[in-house]
Amino acid sequence: MNPWIRLIIYLVAAPFVGGVLAGWDRRISARMQSRQGPPIFQPFYDVLKLCQKENVVVRRSQNYYIFFFLLLAIFTGGLFFGGADLLLVIFALTLAAIFFVLGAYKASSPYSFIGAERELIQMMAYEPMILLTAIGMYMVTKSFAVGDIASHPTLLVLMLPGIFLGFLYTLEIKFRKSPFDLSCSHHAHQELVRGITTEFSGRTLAMIEIAHWYENVFLLGWVYLFFASMPVLGVAVSLLVFVFIILVDNVFARLKWQTALKSAWLVALVFGFGNILVLSLLSAKPAIPAAPAASAVTQPAASGTVPAAAATPALNNAKVIARRN
Amino acid sequence: VILILTLILLPLAAGLVLLCLRPDLPRNILVSGVTLAVCCGTVFLATLPTPVDLSGLRLNPYWINLVMQFVEIGMSIFIIYVGARAKRPLIVALALAQAGLMVWFEVTQGEHLEVVQNLFVDKLSVIMALINGLVGGGICLYALGYMREYHQVAHRDVADRRPFFFALLFIFMGAMFGLIFANNLVWLFLFWEITTLCSFLLIGYTQTDEARRNALRALVMNLAGGLAFAVAIVWLHRQTGRIELQALIASKQSLVLLPAALLCFAGITKSAQLPFSSWLLGAMVAPTPVSALLHSSTMVKAGVYLVLRMAPAVTGTKVGMMVALVGAVTFVVGSLAAITSSEAKRVLAWSTVANLGLIVLCGGIGTYEAVWAGVLLIIFHAVAKCLLFLCVGVVEHKLHSRNIEDMSGLVVRMPRVAIMMQIGMAGMFLAPFGMLISKWAVLKAVVDAYPMLSVFIAFGSAATLFFWVKWMGKLVEVVGTCERIKKELVLGEAIALYGLSAATALACLLFPLISTYFIAPYVAEVYFQSAALPTGDIIGRGNTIIMIIMMAMVMLFPITFFNYGRGVRVTDAYLGGANLHSSTRFLGSASAVENVTMHNYYLRGILSEPWLSRWGVMGSTVLLAAMFLMAFL
């Protein structure tokens, strides 16, 4: 499929898919807690209602940051589904999150401040694993481009089982679900009021919701990437992962931020780095020539200008100097 | 040709004149004039085709060498005297060893030294010259206003030795020009030692106990590097019979591995990599322009310059691997340590150490991608870091504190400085600005060469993100009402700060051009890879376009402020109790009035700076020992 078409489909369909997923989330969570739960389309009703509410702020400029958060969240997914460079996608994702955090700082309320700090800690927790995921994918497919990774014939998850597990762990953080709903929680047991979103209301809060929908679709798209060579399996696993995250959300209590940070880094180190280690040992033949190839690059400096290999170093150098001048 | 000599000699001469110029006015005129001349000179140099033809240069090597030896011996005597007075046998021993070695070398070998070319100017030199001229010049202008305020308002207790100060700044600058244009290693070594000495004197400028101690520490560490440099020269001469930088690079790797390793070691000491990072942290005691100079345009950049020059000589070897590892370890430790500090200058210092670690990592890997990324890092880091230091200096004078916690609400109190600070920070870590472009390239280079090292970058950059964003957050957060401070900047400061902000923004926007016209030709020249790199761009054209779109998007952010305060109702923050009058106080439990305070997280329960530096020093010392071992074998 043409990347541009994919991009447009993403831009149009992602909020819808994301909203429905959020609806499912609430429904499934409710059932897990023996409740009836709201209708599937409840998230849309919420957002529509938020848009009609008054926009109350603490600091006049706080909402602009959120607007850019939404913009960049959409941009991130757009890059991903448009098949751009995976590292670039990660950077855009980070940038979006930074705007969100800065908005909360700008609001200058203690609760949003703590939420922002914790969100930052969470970012610090998941960032290494996400980078390692991209690197792992590169090592298998030899390309950072999402398009190339998606069309790679091997089932990536077979080569990257550790990285897949680590990525699942970071997804828990990224979805802001228990046990990692440190910065803002959708459960009622929240000692930080509403954490990072405390001081946002009305249309701005709706923007945050929509940004999350876009983000969630993008993240599940990344899960799909692990199974891209078998599309049906990929979609199934992505949905399964989503249900799994909901299950974890309902089963676990919230962790302390210290534990969250340490465990996430440990997972990145053990599963992520371990996987990369094994990969580079397995593919020792293609990987190690990278070093000699690099050194070979410099050899022409000496041998290219002086054909006689037996030339003395001094002569060798003299000629190089002469040529350079 | 004349231009090159002028660039080296003019600041040196100006420095000597400034030494005996007491009144303010002539000094201001001279400093501004020389700075302007140097800036114009470097810009003109950048327009010349490289390598610059230096064949017209007829220098009488005999006299020059004589003068140089004279200066060298003079410096050694001075250092020995300093060491003896401070009762530091190590300094005396290092200086003696170094001077003895060089004198012996020149006396026994001086006659037979044949040097085809003493000076050499290629694209890398031009880039370094631009950084040194423009950024360094900016710092000198800034220092004019800053030092007046420093002595007349902020630090009345410190003896006013401004003639000495400005003289050193310019000598420093001149030595740096010499360092980047020198091809003869003996010349390079002389300039190298001048920068060491200047940094020692500048760090000790205030002459407090702490300043003296830190200055001596800087001296010891850099002398160790200098000794390694001297040994490298002698060894290189023994192996190949030549003492030229270009000859070293062009020689067979196995032949020059040890000198290259020694020079890398010298570069590592000068760029404050891990076992030696403490000198740069100690250098904070000096007035802000000195910190800015040491951190951005000179000194540490001399170190990474040398490491990057050595890149072709060590690439693919175990030595290169060890150098890369030292850089990688430094990057992680520096980034983590920066989290724990709330003092602005210390955070900046650790971040400098970390970023230089990345550049050293690039040099150690030494593939053409890595060197490309390394040069880009040097440029972005110099501009953005200088801007940040100078902003912190201004803030320190106005708020009488350089604690980040006290910078809360700066965006209201000193809007212009706060915005420029944010530009600098964005340039330091934020996609799609400067450093991130290079970090990206570094990541690609690392993954291609040694995938294992990528784990260091992954963790290090996560930590970087944390400490920058929380600082940025502190700047934008406004609690209660803040008074705007009048007269934020004086003229010299304003020129430097605006200029650097513009430079940061321009460097980010124009980086494809910088890459195409400067970095790519240099890399292609060194690695003969021109065919493989049509645009000379590691990142790729499509991605560059996406980057620029992203950048344009972020730069649109200020436009949203035209809508400032429209369509919203302003209310007090939620405090979990009844607010009293504003968002700063509330009625807590039992009707107690509580004040609101907010502090950033410093994660000191998890990370501790002494612990990090102790293990970092141990780890990197082992790595350096391994490096020498491998170079010998």
Side-chain angles (χ1 to χ4, degrees):
Chain A
M1 212 195 304
N2 188 323
W4 289 102
I5 298 174
R6 244 179 323 175
L7 177 68
I8 290 168
I9 292 178
Y10 165 77
L11 290 180
V12 177
F16 184 73
V17 175
V20 169
L21 281 175
W24 274 110
D25 175 5
R26 291 170 71 168
R27 194 63 165 268
I28 296 170
S29 290
R31 291 295 157 85
M32 284 177 181
Q33 298 162 1
S34 306
R35 287 189 285 117
Q36 176 66 29
I40 296 297
F41 292 109
Q42 188 62 38
F44 296 103
Y45 306 147
D46 290 351
V47 163
L48 288 176
K49 183 155 191 189
L50 279 173
C51 287
Q52 293 159 7
K53 294 259 183 191
E54 191 188 15
N55 214 338
V56 182
V57 297
V58 179
R59 291 285 154 197
R60 288 181 185 82
S61 56
Q62 67 184 44
N63 290 346
Y64 309 140
Y65 292 90
I66 301 304
F67 176 69
F68 271 79
F69 166 52
L70 173 64
L71 203 65
L72 282 160
I74 297 173
F75 187 72
T76 309
L79 284 180
F80 183 83
F81 287 98
D85 193 302
L86 202 48
L87 290 175
L88 194 58
V89 172
I90 295 175
F91 296 147
L93 179 73
T94 313
L95 183 63
I98 286 173
F99 268 105
F100 188 24
V101 170
L102 285 179
Y105 269 113
K106 183 73 225 182
S108 310
S109 133
Y111 292 100
S112 69
F113 181 89
I114 292 282
E117 292 276 329
R118 290 186 165 199
E119 178 69 20
L120 265 183
I121 290 176
Q122 285 179 318
M123 281 167 74
M124 183 161 74
Y126 69 66
E127 181 101 353
M129 190 59 230
I130 285 194
L131 275 176
L132 290 178
T133 306
I135 290 166
M137 288 187 159
Y138 174 81
M139 287 177 72
V140 176
T141 62
K142 297 289 161 230
S143 166
F144 275 115
V146 177
D148 297 347
I149 296 174
S151 54
H152 200 260
T154 58
L155 199 60
L156 289 184
V157 74
L158 294 180
M159 303 293 283
L160 306 167
I163 285 189
F164 182 66
L165 287 179
F167 187 69
L168 276 189
Y169 199 85
T170 55
L171 271 191
E172 297 280 346
I173 307 177
K174 200 55 208 156
F175 271 92
R176 298 194 185 77
K177 295 280 194 186
S178 234
F180 300 113
D181 49 353
L182 298 162
S183 65
C184 69
S185 172
H186 56 270
H187 291 302
H189 53 89
Q190 172 59 287
E191 77 274 27
L192 295 174
V193 191
R194 196 62 171 84
I196 191 163
T197 55
T198 303
E199 301 295 349
F200 296 107
S201 59
R203 241 194 346 268
T204 315
L205 198 56
M207 277 191 221
I208 296 179
E209 266 322 295
I210 296 171
H212 284 167
W213 295 348
Y214 271 106
E215 232 177 37
N216 292 352
V217 171
F218 149 67
L219 290 170
L220 291 180
W222 201 343
V223 174
Y224 169 83
L225 211 51
F226 281 95
F227 301 89
S229 62
M230 303 168 92
V232 180
L233 182 68
V235 174
V237 171
S238 304
L239 290 177
L240 218 67
V241 163
F242 188 67
V243 175
F244 172 73
I245 287 172
I246 296 171
L247 178 67
V248 172
D249 182 35
N250 283 291
V251 171
F252 278 89
R254 189 181 306 131
L255 289 177
K256 284 199 268 183
W257 65 261
Q258 289 92 335
T259 326
L261 178 62
K262 282 182 196 163
S263 66
W265 278 29
L266 197 68
V267 165
L269 212 56
V270 174
F271 289 112
F273 181 60
N275 202 156
I276 285 178
L277 204 68
V278 172
L279 263 188
S280 58
L281 291 179
L282 277 183
S283 60
K285 284 178 201 88
I288 284 185
S295 64
V297 164
T298 55
Q299 288 314 311
S303 56
T305 45
V306 184
T312 61
L315 178 64
N316 202 337
N317 297 334
K319 290 215 177 170
V320 171
I321 291 278
R323 194 192 53 79
R324 284 179 182 221
N325 299 339
Chain B
V1 175
I2 302 297
L3 183 65
I4 307 287
L5 282 184
T6 320
L7 279 179
I8 300 174
L9 294 178
L10 179 70
L12 289 178
L16 293 179
V17 175
L18 280 169
L19 196 54
C20 38
L21 217 56
R22 271 226 75 87
D24 271 2
L25 186 65
R27 176 165 61 235
N28 290 355
I29 294 169
L30 185 63
V31 167
S32 313
V34 173
T35 306
L36 197 68
V38 167
C39 288
C40 294
T42 46
V43 171
F44 179 64
L45 180 69
T47 62
L48 294 177
T50 55
V52 176
D53 182 23
L54 293 171
S55 52
L57 193 62
R58 288 275 167 268
L59 296 172
N60 187 337
Y62 178 74
W63 283 107
I64 292 180
N65 284 340
L66 206 64
V67 170
M68 286 198 164
Q69 277 176 27
F70 181 71
V71 174
E72 217 169 284
I73 291 169
M75 283 198 309
S76 299
I77 291 172
F78 178 73
I79 291 173
I80 291 167
Y81 163 73
V82 166
R85 204 181 55 171
K87 302 200 178 57
R88 296 283 183 107
L90 195 57
I91 292 180
V92 179
L94 284 172
L96 271 178
Q98 189 177 306
L101 195 63
M102 286 319 283
V103 169
W104 170 80
F105 177 69
E106 271 166 35
V107 168
T108 56
Q109 308 289 329
E111 312 290 305
H112 319 295
L113 286 180
E114 43 155 342
V115 177
V116 182
Q117 219 180 0
N118 284 314
L119 296 174
F120 182 78
V121 181
D122 65 357
K123 291 284 182 195
L124 183 57
S125 318
V126 172
I127 293 171
M128 295 299 293
L130 275 175
I131 292 174
N132 188 30
L134 299 180
V135 178
I139 295 171
C140 290
L141 283 184
Y142 172 93
L144 283 176
Y146 182 91
M147 289 311 285
R148 187 178 327 115
E149 197 173 341
Y150 186 86
H151 283 296
Q152 290 171 0
V153 185
H155 296 267
R156 286 166 174 284
D157 47 332
V158 175
D160 188 350
R161 295 189 295 155
R162 271 182 285 166
F164 177 68
F165 183 83
F166 281 94
L168 281 176
L169 284 193
F170 276 99
I171 292 174
F172 211 146
M173 199 177 183
M176 190 65 193
F177 274 122
L179 205 152
I180 53 191
F181 294 138
N183 186 37
N184 181 344
L185 279 175
V186 176
W187 289 25
L188 211 162
F189 178 66
L190 174 80
F191 291 121
W192 186 269
E193 289 302 292
I194 296 178
T195 59
T196 297
L197 193 63
C198 283
S199 67
F200 161 72
L201 292 171
L202 283 172
I203 294 170
Y205 177 72
T206 56
Q207 288 293 312
T208 57
D209 281 342
E210 193 193 4
R212 283 215 193 100
R213 210 172 38 244
N214 291 344
L216 285 171
R217 190 190 305 148
L219 187 62
V220 174
M221 290 180 171
N222 283 305
L223 279 178
L227 184 60
F229 202 126
V231 175
I233 294 176
V234 176
W235 197 274
L236 181 68
H237 185 257
R238 228 194 77 176
Q239 288 280 351
T240 66
R242 306 185 61 88
I243 50 161
E244 278 159 286
L245 196 58
Q246 297 300 317
L248 192 161
I249 295 165
S251 301
K252 279 232 299 267
Q253 267 187 337
S254 55
L255 212 56
V256 295
L257 203 53
L258 186 63
L262 284 165
L263 289 179
C264 281
F265 177 81
I268 282 171
T269 57
K270 190 139 272 202
S271 57
Q273 293 302 290
L274 243 182
F276 309 105
S277 60
S278 56
W279 79 255
L280 192 63
L281 292 165
M284 291 183 312
V285 296
T288 299
V290 177
S291 310
L293 202 65
L294 293 179
H295 281 263
S296 62
S297 67
T298 56
M299 200 63 187
V300 296
K301 288 286 155 25
V304 288
Y305 164 79
L306 196 63
V307 174
L308 278 186
R309 279 274 188 221
M310 288 303 115
V314 297
T315 178
T317 64
K318 293 251 168 27
V319 173
M321 175 82 182
M322 289 302 130
V323 172
L325 266 174
V326 169
V329 169
T330 309
F331 177 55
V332 173
V333 171
S335 304
L336 288 177
I339 292 178
T340 64
S341 180
S342 69
E343 196 196 338
K345 265 189 164 183
R346 200 167 181 84
V347 173
L348 290 181
W350 274 119
S351 119
T352 303
V353 170
N355 281 308
L356 294 171
L358 267 188
I359 304 175
V360 170
L361 170 69
C362 291
I365 292 172
T367 58
Y368 64 90
E369 294 168 305
V371 173
W372 184 86
V375 178
L376 206 59
L377 270 172
I378 289 189
I379 299 174
F380 287 131
H381 180 258
V383 185
K385 189 48 74 58
C386 181
L387 177 62
L388 282 172
F389 260 110
L390 299 187
C391 285
V392 168
V394 173
V395 172
E396 189 189 354
H397 271 180
K398 302 294 176 198
L399 303 184
H400 309 291
S401 163
R402 50 189 196 207
N403 193 328
I404 292 173
E405 295 297 328
D406 295 332
M407 292 184 194
S408 161
L410 200 70
V411 79
V412 172
R413 283 188 284 177
M414 301 171 74
R416 275 178 288 173
V417 175
I419 286 166
M420 286 189 277
M421 235 162 157
Q422 299 211 17
I423 292 174
M425 287 185 202
M428 285 304 295
F429 81 102
L430 210 57
F433 297 105
M435 296 293 280
L436 205 108
I437 301 166
S438 11
K439 221 174 257 177
W440 182 9
V442 175
L443 204 57
K444 287 199 168 173
V446 168
V447 175
D448 285 336
Y450 306 108
M452 322 281 188
L453 289 183
S454 60
V455 71
F456 287 96
I457 299 183
F459 282 96
S461 49
T464 322
L465 178 93
F466 183 70
F467 72 80
W468 285 123
V469 179
K470 70 179 183 182
W471 189 350
M472 272 182 135
K474 209 69 200 170
L475 296 182
V476 297
E477 151 217 308
V478 184
V479 182
T481 47
C482 303
E483 286 288 301
R484 184 171 170 176
I485 287 174
K486 292 194 186 71
K487 192 109 177 71
E488 281 179 55
L489 300 165
V490 297
L491 183 64
E493 292 176 344
I495 293 175
L497 287 180
Y498 288 135
L500 283 166
S501 307
T504 309
L506 279 181
C508 292
L509 272 178
L510 300 181
F511 90 92
L513 294 181
I514 299 177
S515 163
T516 314
Y517 289 107
F518 291 103
I519 309 177
Y522 167 69
V523 177
E525 198 182 309
V526 175
Y527 290 96
F528 300 95
Q529 280 276 332
S530 45
L533 286 169
T535 52
D537 213 333
I538 307 298
I539 285 175
R541 186 172 290 274
N543 285 331
T544 310
I545 294 170
I546 296 175
M547 284 296 243
I548 291 182
I549 293 173
M550 221 160 129
M551 219 174 287
M553 218 150 87
V554 176
M555 285 180 177
L556 284 181
F557 180 66
I559 292 180
T560 56
F561 281 75
F562 284 125
N563 209 12
Y564 187 77
R566 261 183 233 158
V568 294
R569 183 165 67 83
V570 181
T571 181
D572 284 348
Y574 175 76
L575 300 178
N579 290 22
L580 290 175
H581 310 302
S582 70
S583 313
T584 55
R585 278 189 300 165
F586 66 97
L587 219 50
S589 57
S591 297
V593 177
E594 309 277 358
N595 282 318
V596 172
T597 47
M598 298 187 237
H599 285 294
N600 274 334
Y601 282 25
Y602 292 97
L603 311 196
R604 288 185 187 131
I606 301 183
L607 303 164
S608 103
E609 200 183 314
W611 185 89
L612 280 170
S613 11
R614 191 164 63 241
W615 284 97
V617 166
M618 267 149 68
S620 48
T621 313
V622 170
L623 287 174
L624 282 178
M627 175 183 90
F628 282 121
L629 211 65
M630 282 163 183
F632 265 116
L633 296 180

